[in-house]
């Protein structure tokens, strides 16, 4: 544990140096399931996606590469991630890695290996396998003031949007002032459906001694239902599942020594001076870094008096977070040391007393401070103090991060086209619509003409050629139709709408008189039962011929 | 034409005034100049405002302005680049909510609308010409102008619906302090997801002074409309 903390602490100043790490979303899956592995390279990209060595029983396939920039005060770093799909084919414990990486600048990096445990697959149809929750303290016993870890885990099959947790009031425990819970949510691809895992650690400081029983926590899973609505909005339903209750025994601290700092946890300390050489009167930042698995809230450090230098107190920065499932507390205390005489300045080692839960006893840390060579003149290294904002600006603009400049000319306002778009498009489409309208009207008219042509009676000659032989209504009607059609054709009118008298006025008088008489004979035959003497058909044929000839 | 020229010159002046203040390090004055440039603001002004907020160290506001600039300049590499830088300064924020109208990440509604109107006009012209030729020379195919005309109408309709979608579902950014979302639009409702400053949220719907927001992971909750900044172009 302390090793991890020390590595995190000491790795921080070397953040810009190339480093690589292999990680898995989880270290335990079932046969047939798949998870994501990630190789992270800091600083320089790999020449090609690295290969993750593994034994038979697990297959690994490269899936994607991504890049992001990590900007922090004092440095800016590119971080390259290579993602892989890891599928378990057989039960067993497998070692993935170490991964050899060749970066584009020719450097060779190596990650640590990670272990993956593959267990037999469970029955996915059982309710127990569909929504599984667990929660409890990592420690069964703790010391007063120690940070304990409440670990919670939910595994849900189905289309999960989110899993939320509701915790009980933990009597005799409280959250540290710095650093809240560390949550992670990831998916395991299973042949019987995706499994969403919500896992987290809630750090709590033990404030009361004795055995305490703590109620269950509640996991609320939001699952997608049906298809997304308009604009891709998701419809969800909630399911709840409670963990088992948990318990914790908190022991009181032994009687403390006078110089006890109040820190409970396993800590490492590091004291550094900003420079190894300085001039008399030059300000040198003296930093004490503390990191450990306990909370550092309220911790402050005032540097002791030092012979040959004046020390000015500074500020202490506190940081707390959950990292790799463990609480990590850090404090950075800065003092300013101003040498007052030349020669080697050796600051005596610092002594700080903490309580170590792993040892169950108080521990005295002796922290050495590197010597400082003080010269009489100002030939030391430059230690110009600059504001945070200036540092950021330098990083952004001067150290390779390309912050794009502002626009200096152009329109400051722009018209909104949204409201006028329908009008614009409508106006533009109108001529086309008009053409379609005209074409449509023409088509309709053509269809009507075609229908009329089909429905109209045959020509006068055709009617006369097929006259009913029997004297009677049918014969008189056919003769009348033949006469009308011939007259309509003669005056170039539609037979259905032709005014007979008006049409007769347009033909020669003699012919008109003959036609008028024939119409009269046929009308009387048809409507007054006054049949003509003899056959009228020859006279009608003559009249039709005369009309066609005139 | 003269009015347009005057507008262009006046607008360019507003951009330049802010730029001078920005170069002189007077970020307040630069922001003031650009904010007073009038509405609706152009993508360049929104981008410049994002840069000013970034320089001031207010990264959530920078993100809000870059997102607004992105709506008007979706293919501007500078906007994407500085938005990525601003996002990299934020801790503890979920994935940014995607635009409510996905295709607007490639083309603006204005561009698609103008393109649609132009296609409509071109199709209309082609149809009129083809119709006249048809009357004179007999049957002429109307297929090509018809396809262009229909495509233009399709683009214009899509752009109009997109514009409505953007107005109904804008992107808001949590600024200044953490915001606890609530399961109901009430101050006494249970708190769900807590969103950190810089979280980019999609507005699903509004009810009085409450907004139902959704983050990039699909998690929803009601927040007060003052809890997040919606920058309108």
């Amino acid at each position: 544990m302390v090793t991890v903390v020390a590595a995190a602490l000491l790795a921080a100043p070397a953040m810009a140096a190339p480093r690589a790490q292999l990680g898995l979303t989880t270290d335990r899956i079932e046969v047939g399931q798949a998870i994501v592995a990630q190789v992270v390279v800091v600083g320089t990209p790999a020449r090609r996606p690295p290969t993750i060595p593994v034994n038979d029983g697990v297959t690994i396939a490269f899936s994607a590469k991504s890049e992001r920039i990590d900007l922090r005060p004092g440095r800016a770093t590119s971080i390259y991630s290579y993602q892989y799909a890891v599928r378990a084919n057989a039960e067993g414990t497998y070692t993935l890695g170490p991964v050899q990486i060749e970066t584009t600048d020719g450097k060779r990096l190596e990650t640590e290996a990670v272990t993956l445990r593959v267990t037999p697959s469970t029955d996915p149809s059982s309710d127990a396998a569909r929504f599984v929750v667990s929660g409890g303290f990592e420690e069964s016993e703790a010391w007063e003031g120690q940070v304990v870890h409440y670990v919670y885990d939910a595994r849900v099959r189905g289309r999960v949007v989110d899993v939320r947790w509701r915790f009980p009031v933990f009597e005799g425990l409280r959250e540290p002032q710095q650093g809240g819970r560390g949550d992670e949510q990831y998916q395991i691809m299973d042949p019987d459906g995706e499994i969403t895992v919500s896992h987290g650690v809630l750090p709590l400081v033990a404030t009361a001694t004795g055995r305490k029983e703590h109620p269950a926590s509640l996991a609320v899973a939001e699952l997608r239902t049906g298809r997304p609505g308009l604009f891709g909005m998701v419809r969800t339903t909630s399911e709840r599942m409670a963990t088992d209750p948990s318990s914790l025994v908190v022991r009181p601290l032994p009687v403390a020594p006078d110089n006890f700092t109040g820190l409970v946890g396993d800590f490492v300390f590091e004291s550094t001076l900003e420079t190894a050489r300085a001039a008399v009167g030059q300000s040198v930042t003296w930093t004490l870094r503390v990191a450990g698995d306990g909370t550092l809230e309220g911790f402050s450090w005032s540097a002791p008096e030092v012979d040959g230098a004046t020390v000015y107190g500074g500020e202490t920065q506190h940081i707390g977070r959950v990292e790799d499932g463990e609480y990590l507390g850090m404090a950075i205390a800065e003092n300013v040391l101003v040498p007052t005489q030349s020669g080697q300045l050796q600051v005596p080692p610092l002594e700080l007393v903490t309580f170590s839960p792993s040892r169950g006893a108080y521990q005295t840390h002796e922290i050495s401070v590197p010597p400082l060579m003080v010269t009489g003149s100002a030939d030391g290294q430059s230690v110009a103090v600059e504001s945070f904002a200036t540092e950021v600006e330098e990083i952004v603009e001067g150290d390779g991060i390309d912050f794009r400049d502002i626009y200096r000319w152009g329109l400051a306002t722009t018209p909104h086209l949204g409201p006028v778009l329908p009008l614009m498009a409508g106006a533009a489409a109108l001529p086309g619509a008009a053409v379609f309208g005209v074409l449509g009207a023409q088509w309709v008219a053509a269809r009507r003409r075609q229908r009329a042509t089909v429905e109209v009676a045959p020509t006068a000659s055709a009617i006369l050629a097929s006259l009913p032989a029997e004297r009677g209504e049918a014969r008189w009607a056919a003769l009348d139709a033949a006469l009308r059609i011939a007259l309509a054709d003669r005056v170039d009118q539609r037979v259905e709408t032709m005014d007979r008298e008006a049409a007769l006025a347009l033909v020669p008088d003699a012919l008109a008189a003959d036609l008028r008489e024939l119409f009269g004979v046929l009308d009387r035959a048809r409507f007054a039962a006054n049949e003509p003497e003899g056959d009228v058909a020859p006279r009608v044929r003559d009249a039709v011929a005369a009309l066609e000839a005139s | 034409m003269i009015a347009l020229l005057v507008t262009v010159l006046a607008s360019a002046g507003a951009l330049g005034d802010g730029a001078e203040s920005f170069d002189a390090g007077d970020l307040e004055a630069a922001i003031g100049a650009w904010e007073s440039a009038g509405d609706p603001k152009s993508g360049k002004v929104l981008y410049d405002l994002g840069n000013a907020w970034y320089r001031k160290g207010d990264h959530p506001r920078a993100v809000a302005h870059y997102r607004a600039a992105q709506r008007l300049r979706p293919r501007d590499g500078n906007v994407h680049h500085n938005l990525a830088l601003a996002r990299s300064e934020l801790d503890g924020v979920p994935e940014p909510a995607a635009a409510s109208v996905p295709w607007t990440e490639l083309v603006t509604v204005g561009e698609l609308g103008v393109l649609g109107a132009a296609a409509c006009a071109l199709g209309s012209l082609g149809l009129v010409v083809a119709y006249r030729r048809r009357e004179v020379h007999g049957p002429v195919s109307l297929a090509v102008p018809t396809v262009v005309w229909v495509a233009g109408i399709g683009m214009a309709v899509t752009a109009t619906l997109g514009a409505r979608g953007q107005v109904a579902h804008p992107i808001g950014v949590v600024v200044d302090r953490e915001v606890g979302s609530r399961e109901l639009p009430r101050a006494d409702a249970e708190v769900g997801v807590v969103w950190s400053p810089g979280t980019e949220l999609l507005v699903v719907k509004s009810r009085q002074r409450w907004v139902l927001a959704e983050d990039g992971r699909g998690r929803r909750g009601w927040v007060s409309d003052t809890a997040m900044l919606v920058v309108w172009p």
Side-chain angles (χ1 to χ4, degrees):
Chain A
M1 175 63 184
V2 176
T3 315
V4 173
V5 172
L9 173 68
L10 300 176
M15 185 74 175
R19 292 182 296 124
Q21 193 174 14
L22 168 64
L24 296 172
T25 48
T26 179
D27 60 358
R28 184 170 53 87
I29 55 173
E30 296 175 3
V31 173
Q33 293 181 341
I35 52 169
V36 173
Q38 187 165 258
V39 174
V40 177
V41 183
V42 178
T44 317
R47 193 176 292 281
R48 63 190 71 82
T51 303
I52 303 178
V54 69
N55 296 333
D56 289 345
V58 171
T59 51
I60 299 178
F62 173 71
S63 57
K65 176 191 171 188
S66 61
E67 177 190 353
R68 69 181 176 88
I69 300 166
D70 184 73
L71 270 180
R72 296 187 186 189
R75 60 174 179 264
T77 315
S78 295
I79 299 172
Y80 303 89
S81 301
Y82 302 85
Q83 293 194 342
Y84 302 79
V86 178
R87 184 172 296 282
N89 304 320
E91 188 183 340
T93 301
Y94 300 90
T95 301
L96 281 68
V99 181
Q100 309 283 338
I101 299 151
E102 185 185 355
T103 60
T104 51
D105 57 1
K107 291 193 176 68
R108 290 186 181 277
L109 306 174
E110 185 178 287
T111 69
E112 301 225 337
V114 294
T115 303
L116 177 66
R117 235 181 85 216
V118 180
T119 56
S121 56
T122 53
D123 177 14
S125 59
S126 67
D127 278 349
R130 208 174 67 75
F131 193 171
V132 186
V133 295
S134 64
F137 290 97
E138 206 170 58
E139 306 83 356
S140 57
E141 290 189 346
W143 293 92
E144 185 182 2
Q146 183 183 344
V147 174
V148 295
H149 302 85
Y150 183 82
V151 182
Y152 47 93
D153 187 279
R155 289 170 186 249
V156 194
R157 278 182 196 272
R159 300 192 301 162
V160 177
V161 174
D162 191 28
V163 180
R164 295 196 306 274
W165 284 89
R166 290 178 191 165
F167 301 104
V169 175
F170 292 103
E171 190 188 339
L173 299 168
R174 66 165 175 81
E175 291 191 36
Q177 287 177 13
Q178 285 88 33
R181 46 196 260 218
D183 285 326
E184 59 177 348
Q185 194 161 307
Y186 55 86
Q187 276 74 38
I188 296 175
M189 303 312 296
D190 186 272
D192 297 301
E194 187 178 273
I195 298 172
T196 297
V197 181
S198 169
H199 180 85
V201 174
L202 176 65
L204 295 162
V205 182
T207 55
T209 58
R211 181 185 178 83
K212 296 280 188 302
E213 301 293 332
H214 300 284
S217 298
L218 191 67
V220 182
E222 270 191 60
L223 295 124
R224 284 176 195 263
T225 55
R227 301 173 66 81
L230 195 63
F231 301 112
M233 299 307 165
V234 181
R235 300 188 179 100
T236 61
T237 182
S238 295
E239 287 190 22
R240 295 159 189 244
M241 188 71 79
T243 67
D244 290 331
S246 53
S247 66
L248 181 70
V249 176
V250 178
R251 288 185 283 183
L253 293 180
V255 178
D258 291 342
N259 54 350
F260 176 44
T261 54
L263 300 182
V264 179
D266 291 308
F267 295 96
V268 290
F269 295 82
E270 183 191 58
S271 176
T272 56
L273 293 176
E274 184 187 10
T275 178
R277 292 173 64 84
V280 171
Q282 180 182 332
S283 299
V284 177
T285 305
W286 182 6
T287 306
L288 175 69
R289 290 190 177 89
V290 191
D293 58 4
T295 174
L296 285 153
E297 56 195 46
F299 172 75
S300 62
W301 171 68
S302 295
E305 299 275 322
V306 176
D307 288 341
T310 307
V311 180
Y312 299 95
E315 290 187 349
T316 302
Q317 184 187 356
H318 299 91
I319 302 164
R321 61 170 177 264
V322 172
E323 196 166 287
D324 294 331
E326 302 285 349
Y327 182 77
L328 170 64
M330 286 194 284
I332 301 169
E334 285 188 344
N335 285 240
V336 176
L337 183 145
V338 182
T340 54
Q341 60 189 52
S342 59
Q344 179 167 309
L345 179 67
Q346 182 61 62
V347 179
L350 308 170
E351 275 195 4
L352 293 169
V353 177
T354 64
F355 181 81
S356 166
S358 62
R359 298 182 184 190
Y362 291 96
Q363 188 179 4
T364 303
H365 302 265
E366 193 169 281
I367 306 137
S368 61
V369 185
L372 179 69
M373 183 56 69
V374 183
T375 59
S377 59
D379 62 347
Q381 294 176 6
S382 167
V383 284
V385 178
E386 295 178 350
S387 70
F388 171 79
T390 314
E391 283 178 29
V392 170
E393 197 167 309
E394 281 181 359
I395 297 160
V396 166
E397 297 193 325
D399 282 350
I401 297 300
D402 171 28
F403 181 77
R404 305 284 168 84
D405 201 7
I406 56 168
Y407 288 110
R408 294 166 195 288
W409 66 273
L411 286 172
T413 58
T414 185
H416 268 187
L417 292 176
V420 295
L421 274 178
L423 286 175
M424 279 170 58
L430 202 57
V435 169
F436 283 121
V438 171
L439 288 173
Q442 287 180 348
W443 181 80
V444 169
R447 287 279 297 172
R448 278 189 185 154
R449 273 201 303 275
Q450 189 180 5
R451 195 175 298 128
T453 306
V454 170
E455 286 173 358
V456 83
T459 60
S461 304
I463 293 172
L464 290 175
S466 57
L467 273 178
E470 298 271 330
R471 288 170 63 91
E473 167 58 24
R475 187 177 173 88
W476 313 136
L479 289 170
D480 184 71
L483 264 185
R484 285 176 181 279
I485 290 169
L487 179 60
D489 286 346
R490 168 65 180 75
V491 298
D492 200 19
Q493 289 184 9
R494 292 172 59 83
V495 69
E496 296 90 343
T497 56
M498 181 183 70
D499 179 348
R500 194 170 73 187
E501 284 305 317
L504 288 172
L506 297 174
V507 300
D509 291 344
L511 183 55
D514 197 17
L515 289 171
R516 201 171 280 115
E517 186 192 344
L518 276 173
F519 278 125
V521 168
L522 292 171
D523 286 347
R524 286 192 293 277
R526 293 176 66 197
F527 306 118
N530 189 2
E531 291 195 2
E533 293 178 2
D535 192 2
V536 190
R539 290 182 60 193
V540 172
R541 281 196 182 89
D542 292 343
V544 168
L547 282 168
E548 288 174 351
S550 63
Chain B
M1 183 60 81
I2 291 169
L4 182 66
L5 192 62
V6 168
T7 306
V8 168
L9 290 174
S11 301
L15 212 60
D17 293 345
E20 280 178 18
S21 301
F22 184 86
D23 290 339
D26 190 350
L27 298 175
E28 290 289 349
I31 290 171
W34 288 323
E35 285 288 1
S36 61
D39 289 319
K41 291 182 174 48
S42 71
K44 286 184 175 180
V45 161
L46 291 166
Y47 166 80
D48 286 355
L49 276 165
N51 279 7
W53 283 113
Y54 184 97
R55 282 286 179 82
K56 281 195 76 176
D58 192 337
H59 301 120
R61 278 191 168 74
V63 168
H65 284 85
Y66 288 140
R67 285 297 300 255
Q70 214 174 24
R71 265 179 61 173
L72 299 175
R73 303 179 68 81
R75 300 177 303 283
D76 187 332
N78 290 346
V79 178
H80 286 278
H81 184 91
N82 284 3
L83 174 60
L85 278 181
R87 282 173 175 162
S88 73
E89 298 278 7
L90 302 169
D91 286 326
V93 296
E95 299 88 335
S100 59
V101 189
W103 56 261
T104 55
E105 291 177 2
L106 298 172
V107 61
T108 68
V109 290
E111 288 168 344
L112 188 69
V114 169
L115 194 64
C120 276
L122 194 65
S124 289
L125 183 66
L127 284 168
V128 170
V129 169
Y131 177 75
R132 295 293 299 274
R133 290 187 63 191
R134 192 177 194 162
E135 284 195 325
V136 176
H137 302 291
V140 173
S141 172
L142 300 177
V144 172
T146 301
V147 167
V148 174
W149 188 79
V150 171
I153 287 182
M155 284 189 278
V157 169
T158 306
T160 304
L161 293 176
R164 289 185 183 177
Q166 283 186 330
V167 171
H169 306 290
I171 295 290
V173 178
V174 177
V175 294
D176 297 333
R177 58 186 169 78
E178 279 188 341
V179 172
S181 67
R182 299 188 183 272
E183 294 193 345
L184 294 169
R186 291 203 315 256
D188 58 347
E190 194 170 349
V191 175
V193 189
V194 176
W195 286 313
S196 304
T199 303
E200 296 161 56
L201 301 168
L202 175 71
V203 173
V204 179
K205 62 181 173 185
S206 305
R207 186 179 296 173
Q208 293 172 344
R209 298 194 62 80
W210 289 87
V211 170
L212 179 61
E214 181 179 291
D215 68 12
R217 289 169 58 182
R219 298 177 300 183
R220 286 182 173 191
W222 290 92
V223 295
S224 162
D225 62 356
T226 56
M228 61 182 186
L229 174 67
V230 177
V231 178
W232 296 95

